[in-house]
Amino acid sequence: MIVSKFGGTSVADADAIHRLAAIMAGRAEERPLVVVSAMAGITDALLALASVVHGGSRDELETAIGELIGRHEAVAMSLADGEMAMATVRADAEALLASLTAAAGRRLRPPELDYLVGHGELWSSRLVAAAMAGAGLRAAWVDIRPIMVTDDRFGRATPCGHLINTRARDCLEPLLDEGIIPVTQGFIGATPDAVPTTLGRGGSDFTAALLGAALGAARVEIWTDVDGLMTADPRIVPTARTLSAASYDEAAELATFGAKVLHPATAMPLVREGIPIVVLNSRRPELAGTIIEPAAELERMGDSPIRFISSKRGITVINVRAPRMLGTYGFLRAMFEVFERHEVVVDVLASGEVSVSLTVEDRSRLEPVIRELSDLGEVWTEDRRAIVSVVGIGLRTTPGLASRIFRAVPPANVEVISQGASAINMTFVVREDDGPDVVRRLHQEFFGD
Ligand code: ADP
Ligand code: ASP
Ligand code: MG
C-alpha cells in the first residue's frame, strides 16, 4: 500500500481537487490511502475565529463561518456528489457555531481551540472523497480521530504509536483489502476519551508518516506546491534547485531549521522500517520529486559541497552570563531543567567561557523561563531574529568552508554560531530582516545563482 498526503494548496480549490482525483486514479492499483490537509488558508481562518468568539458578537461569528462554508461550497458545486458532501459540512458547521456561540465573550480553552481548528481537515476530506467518487474511484471518507490516538497536550499533541498501529490496521486494512481508497484527515486526532486534539501546525505530514508506518506502506507521498526539497525556499531564492534525493537526517535538519515543506517529525515513524518519503508537486505530477530514504545516493549539487540553506524567522535569543557557574558542573543541567519544566524547546545552543546563548521559537512561556534563569546569572534576550542553517555533507571536514560561509554573510551580523555533532550543518543567528538576504547571498556563493 502507499500513503498519499495532499497539503493545503493541493486541495485549495476545485481545480486542485480535480487534479488530486486524477493523480489518485493513476495510483488506484497500489492500494492507496489518502490523507488531506485543510484547504489553503482555512486553518488560519479557523484560528482567527477564536478572537471573534472572544469579541462576543454572534452575527460576526455566523458571517465568518458562513464565509468559510462558502469556500467549500464553491468547490462542491463542481463535484457530482458535492451536495451530499456539503450536507455533512453544513451540519458540522452548525454544531461548531452552536458550541462557539456558547463560548461567546470569553477566551477558548485549549481543547475548544483544537476542536475548532480541526474542522478544516474534516471539511476538505469530505470534498476530496466526493471528487474521487466522481472520478469513478471507490473512495470512502474515514474519521481519523478514533485511530489517531494522542495525549492531551492540546495544540501539539503527541501520538500514541502502539494504539495507532493497531487501530489503523483494524480500521483501514479491511477497506484497503476490499479495493476501497480511504480518504482521511491529517493534523487531527483525539485523546483516548475522544476529545479532539491537533498535532501542531503543519502536522498532516506527520499523520501520513504515522499511518504509513502503521500499515507498512511501500512509500509515503507528500504532495505539495513545489517540485520537492530544494536548495533553498523558492520564495526566497527563485532559482533554488530541486534535490533528487535526500537522507532522513537531511530532511529532518531541513524541516527543523525552517523549511515548511516537511513537518520536522515526518521521518521519525518511518526510520525503523526504512519507508521512503517522496515529496511531489501536485501541479506537475509527472516530475520525480525528491525521494527521502536511508540509502539515498546524495548527489552533489554541481560543484557545491553544500546541499541546502534554510532559515527560520521569529526566533528569540536568550543569553545567560554566569561567571561563577561556568566551568563548574551542574550549571547546564540547572539551565536546561528550567526549559524542561516550562516545556520550551531550545533549537540552537552556543556556549562560551562564561556565557551561554540559545534560541527558542515559542515566546508564549518565556517570562517564567527568564525569571528562573535569572537565579543562575545575568539574562538578556534579543528577539526578531532568524536562524540560518547551511547543510552539507562533510561540512566539518572540508577545509575553508566555514570561511566561505561567513564571508557571504556581511553586511549582516552573525550572532550565535553552532555546529552540531552531526557534522552536516552549520547554524547561526542573524537579525530577522537580514535573513532573506543572507540566504540569497549564501545561495549565490555556493550555487552560483
Ligand atoms: P503544504 O500546504 O503542501 O503542506 P507547505 O506550505 O507546508 O505546503 O510547504 C510548502 C512550502 O515550503 C513551499 O511553498 C515553499 O515555499 C516552502 N519551503 C521552504 N523551504 C523549502 C525548501 N528548502 N524546499 C522546498 N520548499 C520549501
Ligand atoms: N492544516 C494544518 C495547518 O495549516 C495542518 C497541515 O496543513 O499540515 O497547519
Ligand atoms: Mg505543510
Side-chain angles (χ1 to χ4, degrees):
M1 65 90 51
I2 61 167
V3 177
S4 302
K5 175 260 169 176
F6 291 83
T9 44
S10 303
V11 294
D13 52 31
D15 287 349
I17 290 183
H18 286 299
R19 275 197 298 274
L20 178 162
I23 290 170
M24 292 322 297
R27 284 163 161 70
E29 298 303 310
E30 293 189 84
R31 291 166 48 93
L33 160 71
V34 175
V35 174
V36 300
S37 291
M39 292 167 70
I42 296 290
T43 307
D44 286 335
L46 287 165
L47 258 177
L49 281 186
S51 41
V52 180
V53 174
H54 195 196
S57 153
R58 192 196 139 96
D59 283 354
E60 234 182 280
L61 198 56
E62 210 169 334
T63 314
I65 293 184
E67 278 168 15
L68 297 184
I69 296 310
R71 263 193 69 191
H72 291 80
E73 241 153 18
V75 174
M77 268 168 27
S78 76
L79 307 176
D81 291 346
E83 208 22 66
M84 230 159 68
M86 276 320 287
T88 335
V89 171
R90 280 192 211 101
D92 272 0
E94 283 295 322
L96 177 64
L97 178 62
S99 84
L100 293 181
T101 306
R106 66 167 171 84
R107 238 178 252 291
L108 290 179
R109 289 186 279 270
E112 294 171 324
L113 207 54
D114 269 5
Y115 164 71
L116 164 63
V117 298
H119 277 78
E121 272 71 11
L122 291 172
W123 296 338
S124 64
S125 53
R126 292 279 180 195
L127 297 178
V128 167
M132 286 177 51
L137 298 167
R138 291 181 66 205
W141 184 87
V142 174
D143 185 347
I144 203 64
R145 289 169 296 184
I147 299 173
M148 194 55 55
V149 185
T150 73
D151 66 7
D152 60 358
R153 283 157 46 112
F154 297 99
R156 53 197 172 113
T158 304
C160 309
H162 292 305
L163 277 174
I164 293 168
N165 287 349
T166 339
R167 293 195 187 184
R169 281 182 214 128
D170 291 351
C171 304
L172 298 168
E173 264 171 2
L175 294 173
L176 294 169
D177 289 344
E178 266 187 69
I180 292 172
I181 306 177
V183 177
T184 196
Q185 309 79 37
F187 182 53
I188 61 175
T191 66
D193 311 332
V195 182
T197 56
T198 62
L199 306 184
R201 295 306 303 269
S204 295
D205 303 330
F206 192 24
T207 305
L210 289 161
L211 295 176
L215 299 168
R219 66 178 186 280
V220 172
E221 297 181 336
I222 304 291
W223 291 92
T224 183
D225 61 351
V226 285
D227 293 347
L229 301 188
M230 306 181 79
T231 50
D233 184 346
R235 287 181 212 192
I236 297 176
V237 183
T239 53
R241 299 167 206 172
T242 308
L243 282 76
S244 62
S247 67
Y248 287 141
D249 283 350
E250 282 187 305
E253 205 89 42
L254 185 88
T256 306
F257 290 111
K260 205 182 146 211
V261 63
L262 215 55
H263 184 278
T266 313
M268 214 165 60
L270 303 173
V271 171
R272 221 181 68 197
E273 306 292 334
I275 298 171
I277 307 167
V278 192
V279 182
L280 294 151
N281 188 341
S282 63
R283 283 178 180 275
R284 309 212 290 165
E286 67 285 1
L287 299 183
T290 303
I291 177 149
I292 304 164
E293 57 183 349
E297 272 293 323
L298 304 180
E299 92 270 46
R300 280 178 88 94
M301 303 304 284
D303 288 336
S304 181
I306 298 302
R307 298 265 296 157
F308 52 81
I309 301 149
S310 50
S311 65
K312 184 148 113 183
R313 304 167 58 87
I315 298 297
T316 300
V317 177
I318 303 175
N319 303 289
V320 185
R321 201 179 121 85
R324 281 176 299 112
M325 299 284 274
L326 254 113
T328 63
Y329 39 80
F331 170 69
L332 287 176
R333 195 203 59 219
M335 204 174 79
F336 280 113
E337 271 172 3
V338 175
F339 288 95
E340 192 182 343
R341 244 190 325 278
H342 297 283
E343 298 182 351
V344 174
V345 178
V346 171
D347 281 328
V348 179
L349 167 77
S351 103
E353 196 59 37
V354 292
S355 66
V356 177
S357 297
L358 28 79
T359 69
V360 300
E361 195 181 0
D362 179 4
R363 287 184 63 87
S364 61
R365 276 157 299 178
L366 222 48
E367 209 190 288
V369 167
I370 291 168
R371 198 170 346 105
E372 288 179 32
L373 286 177
S374 302
D375 293 340
L376 300 173
E378 181 192 352
V379 181
W380 72 104
T381 62
E382 290 151 332
D383 57 5
R384 295 183 50 79
R385 295 301 193 262
I387 294 176
V388 176
S389 190
V390 180
V391 177
I393 313 151
L395 200 65
R396 194 190 270 178
T397 49
T398 312
L401 255 189
S403 74
R404 268 182 84 187
I405 293 174
F406 292 114
R407 250 201 332 265
V409 175
N413 192 29
V414 176
E415 294 182 354
V416 180
I417 302 173
S418 154
Q419 189 178 36
S422 68
I424 67 168
N425 97 49
M426 169 90 71
T427 300
F428 54 90
V429 172
V430 296
R431 283 176 188 278
E432 191 170 81
D433 296 343
D434 290 333
D437 268 345
V438 169
V439 171
R440 278 189 284 270
R441 280 200 294 278
L442 284 165
H443 203 270
Q444 169 74 38
E445 167 69 26
F446 288 106
F447 300 104
D449 49 28

